Amino acid sequence: MKNIILIGFMGSGKTSVGIRLSYRLRRVLTDTDKKIERLYKMTISDIFERFGEEKFRDMETQCLEKLLEEPEGQIISVGGGLPMRSRNRELLKRLGTVVYLRVKARTVCTRLAADTSRPLLQGEDREEKVQSLLEKRSPVYESAAEIIVDVDEKTLDEIVDEILGNRIFSQGKEWVSR
Ligand code: S3P
């Protein structure tokens, strides 16, 4: 089976949906942020503080390149900003079926109201930051994805059912190896 890759804004539920998908399909779950944190033995916040965002983006690209060498059939959730690089979008396409979890700004703000782990959302005016980043990123997420699922107000199982019910999976296209 090809990899299934979850993309989407911070707070769209990539990690939770990834866990549920990996449980339902009995597939290994990989998270690019966690892989980077393990490799550098630092949190994402510390990486941003010490090396800056550009260096973190390079780490994301390297992480995708490594994943291409790993066995297929994984569920892969990626950091919210990763699809913004065109090189990363190319790599995502080669890696597997890309699923975009589309979320509304107000859902993100509710879910991440008390979050301190996302460097890009710290400080004043969190709602404006979410709004403007989401506006900039939405068309890119949409262009990078083969499947788009609106996640607001849906349960994890409803989201997973919608992903797996997509014709890409029902026609068995996910079984074609790259
Ligand atoms: C980021 C999203 C985060 C993490 C980093 C940057 C982004 O991952 O990679 O804080 O630019 O949107 P999540 O989407 O898992 O929160």
Side-chain angles (χ1 to χ4, degrees), residues 48-82:
F48 266 70
E49 202 176 305
R50 187 141 161 224
F51 303 113
E53 182 174 350
E54 258 328 277
K55 188 78 186 58
F56 172 68
R57 301 300 173 195
D58 293 340
M59 294 172 185
E60 290 187 311
T61 303
Q62 283 156 14
C63 185
L64 291 182
E65 282 162 351
K66 282 211 190 94
L67 276 168
L68 269 177
E69 288 157 20
E70 290 187 11
E72 295 188 80
Q74 301 187 42
I75 311 298
I76 302 172
S77 73
V78 307
L82 181 146

Side-chain angles (χ1 to χ4, degrees), residues 8-12 14-15 31-33 36 44-45 48 53 56-57 60 77-82 84 112 115 117-121 133 137 141:
F9 201 75
M10 295 170 265
S12 58
K14 298 177 298 276
T15 305
D31 179 286
T32 56
D33 280 347
I36 290 169
I44 301 296
S45 297
F48 266 70
E53 182 174 350
F56 172 68
R57 301 300 173 195
E60 290 187 311
S77 73
V78 307
L82 181 146
M84 294 306 114
L112 300 185
D115 180 79
S117 69
R118 271 100 170 171
L120 295 181
L121 300 183
L133 260 185
R137 290 179 173 185
Y141 289 142

